[in-house]
Amino acid sequence: MELIINGQTQVLEPADTMEDVIKQLGLLGKPLVAEANGVVLTAEQWATTSVVPGMRIELVHFVGGG
Amino acid sequence: MEEMQMDSEQMKQRYSRQMLFSPIGEAGQRKLMNSAVLIVGMGALGTVLANHLVRAGVGHIRMVDRDYVEKSNLQRQLLYDEQDVVHMYPKVIAAEKKLRIVNSTVKLEPVVADVTLANIAELLEGMDLVLDGTDNFQTRFLLNDACYKAGIPFTYGGAVSSRGMSALFVPGRTPCLRCFIQAGDSGGETCDTIGVIAPVVDIVASYQAVEAMKLLVGAEDQRRSSLVTFDIWHNRFYELKFGEPHPGCPCCQLKQYPALEWRERDAAVSLCGRETVQIRGNAPLELAVWKERLSPIAREVTLNPFLLRVELSEGERLVMFPDGRVLVQGTEDIVRAKTLYARYIGQ
Ligand SMILES: [Zn+2]
């Protein structure tokens, strides 16, 4: 399944929800905000947000260093 | 707000370029001079923040940090030099020395301490804004919750590798840090494990500093209502627009402020990626007395007015602070650290 993640086209295994996508990328449990087509999704919305091919997703990692 | 005395001629000489910038002007300059801010963490972000704000003439700057200057800091922590490493100065003390000769009209208040639930309220006292220069989410959540409870704006900044991000969170006006993330684990990606380059830190801190200036001069309509995020090596920039606060946010919506709830906190923590365990003792340490006591049994003992460093024959090092904190360096193993602590310092 093709998705545009952080501006880059990426091919992933088929995924139904945002949570599947984040799991596939190995990012579950990280301090992360996902945005799908410009809408901010918090962690508890990932499991109920469907993804469709070609969707624009931004994954914003919160950065801890300083 | 605090009153700062400076006649307008002196003010014009020092701050002319900033006052010619019309959104600040003379009125804005006076507001900066009458403002008080807290910088938490005087590492890479904190030193850039302090440099900007001291030069800009923010009247009162309180700086807090628990650490002392080490050689690996010099690559990016712009206020420190090799002499500070030799003298093992606490970061806030070294920073104050530099900043005092940059702008002697600013009131600088260095505090050598670990920011915890026990001292956060005192640190926030009288402050108009808190600037995040910390290197961990545990402290950020504490700052976020304490600031929202006290109604004090808080600028978040973070940098690692070539990536950075920043946002200004204003109680009652914007979402807070917890609206975006609940989990604080960075998955081991810290400056100490994957590194960081200095330019990204400067950029992040500069984003924080400019939002601080807008806030302090009251330029509310110009404040950035988004979280900026970028990777300066891979040339990516993205703004996450603030929406409504998250309805279930335990901080700004439910007002539970989880980080402020008292709980039994482990007194020993491993400082991620740094081969250091920090142990918070429950009594102050008389450093000169400890120097006498440990000199005969340690390989080497070094005392300065702020800390005592003890090279142990086991290979590890103890760094002891007057407030009772001890860093056990050379191990990440909490049990090992506690063993050494018990052996040399006792209960
Ligand atoms: Zn919130």
Side-chain angles (χ1 to χ4, degrees):
Chain A
M1 158 180 234
E2 235 178 56
L3 296 168
I4 304 162
I5 299 176
N6 294 357
Q8 306 242 327
T9 303
Q10 284 196 33
V11 181
L12 298 186
E13 297 295 311
D16 296 324
T17 66
M18 186 63 88
E19 189 173 80
D20 298 339
V21 170
I22 290 167
K23 205 179 281 174
Q24 268 194 51
L25 295 170
L27 298 173
L28 226 45
K30 300 277 172 75
L32 185 79
V33 171
E35 207 187 63
N37 294 333
V39 178
V40 175
L41 305 169
T42 48
E44 67 265 33
Q45 295 171 297
W46 297 348
T48 54
T49 303
S50 307
V51 291
V52 293
M55 200 161 175
R56 286 193 157 271
I57 295 172
E58 286 289 332
L59 298 176
V60 178
H61 295 252
F62 274 66
V63 174
Chain B
M1 296 271 175
E2 303 184 6
E3 258 327 298
M4 265 292 298
Q5 297 306 318
M6 187 187 276
D7 70 46
S8 61
E9 201 45 47
Q10 278 182 320
M11 186 169 130
K12 276 183 189 136
Q13 278 173 9
R14 181 180 283 272
Y15 302 115
S16 65
R17 302 304 187 275
Q18 189 164 283
M19 289 163 68
L20 284 168
F21 177 67
S22 61
I24 294 181
E26 184 169 341
Q29 188 61 47
R30 289 203 183 279
K31 285 182 185 160
L32 290 176
M33 289 158 64
N34 290 325
S35 297
V37 303
L38 170 67
I39 302 176
V40 180
M42 285 294 289
L45 289 173
T47 51
V48 176
L49 290 169
N51 180 59
H52 278 307
L53 299 180
V54 164
R55 288 180 193 275
V58 170
H60 177 184
I61 299 177
R62 185 176 290 160
M63 308 173 282
V64 55
D65 192 287
R66 63 184 175 192
D67 237 330
Y68 65 97
V69 182
E70 293 176 280
K71 197 172 267 178
S72 69
N73 302 150
L74 301 182
Q75 163 252 359
R76 66 196 181 287
Q77 303 188 13
L78 96 172
L79 293 175
Y80 309 134
D81 60 37
E82 292 177 2
Q83 284 304 304
D84 298 323
V85 177
V86 170
H87 291 117
M88 295 185 299
Y89 283 131
K91 289 183 176 177
V92 291
I93 301 296
E96 189 215 4
K97 270 192 313 132
K98 302 284 152 53
L99 295 168
R100 204 174 39 208
I101 54 176
V102 167
N103 190 345
S104 60
T105 70
V106 167
K107 178 181 171 190
L108 294 168
E109 194 188 343
V111 183
V112 185
D114 190 22
V115 177
T116 66
L117 189 49
N119 60 8
I120 184 69
E122 194 183 338
L123 288 166
L124 291 182
E125 191 72 48
M127 296 291 116
D128 300 309
L129 169 69
V130 173
L131 296 120
D132 169 18
T134 65
D135 61 2
N136 65 85
F137 279 106
Q138 193 185 347
T139 311
R140 285 194 180 95
F141 284 130
L142 176 63
L143 295 177
N144 183 75
D145 291 2
C147 284
Y148 268 70
K149 190 170 186 197
I152 299 171
F154 162 58
T155 73
Y156 156 67
V160 70
S161 180
S162 56
R163 304 195 304 269
M165 62 201 312
S166 160
L168 174 67
F169 297 120
V170 184
R173 294 295 172 88
T174 72
C176 77
L177 183 60
R178 283 191 196 271
C179 289
F180 293 99
I181 49 166
Q182 314 287 321
D185 182 64
S186 58
E189 288 196 339
T190 72
C191 300
D192 298 299
T193 57
I194 61 167
V196 62
I197 53 173
V200 73
V201 179
D202 290 25
I203 295 169
V204 170
S206 296
Y207 269 109
Q208 291 176 271
V210 74
E211 291 306 315
M213 290 167 77
K214 291 181 201 173
L215 181 102
L216 296 173
V217 305
E220 198 169 334
D221 52 333
Q222 297 301 320
R223 288 208 304 252
R224 183 185 292 275
S225 57
S226 65
L227 197 145
V228 286
T229 157
F230 39 82
D231 183 329
I232 56 162
W233 196 270
H234 302 101
N235 308 312
R236 210 174 131 70
F237 180 95
Y238 191 75
E239 264 189 293
L240 195 76
K241 296 267 178 248
F242 284 167
E244 290 298 308
H246 184 263
C249 175
C251 174
C252 70
Q253 298 305 300
L254 305 180
K255 305 201 188 301
Q256 293 163 341
Y257 313 110
L260 302 183
E261 270 167 40
W262 190 88
R263 58 189 184 279
E264 193 71 61
R265 285 246 323 254
D266 199 342
V269 288
S270 183
L271 304 184
C272 173
R274 300 188 28 201
E275 288 229 330
T276 298
V277 175
Q278 173 179 271
I279 298 179
R280 225 177 273 143
N282 43 21
L285 294 166
E286 193 77 61
L287 297 185
V289 173
W290 281 98
K291 182 180 181 223
E292 293 309 310
R293 198 174 295 171
L294 295 176
S295 290
I297 47 174
R299 193 181 283 164
E300 199 183 332
V301 177
T302 323
L303 176 68
N304 75 20
F306 315 102
L307 59 86
L308 177 68
R309 185 181 146 109
V310 184
E311 302 251 2
L312 302 176
S313 52
E314 289 88 342
E316 284 92 344
R317 295 171 303 283
L318 302 178
V319 181
M320 304 167 63
F321 293 89
D323 67 358
R325 270 184 318 124
V326 176
L327 302 178
V328 184
Q329 297 185 321
T331 183
E332 286 185 348
D333 179 353
I334 290 183
V335 176
R336 168 82 181 155
K338 283 182 170 169
T339 304
L340 292 169
Y341 182 92
R343 188 175 300 164
Y344 288 96
I345 300 168
Q347 300 312 308

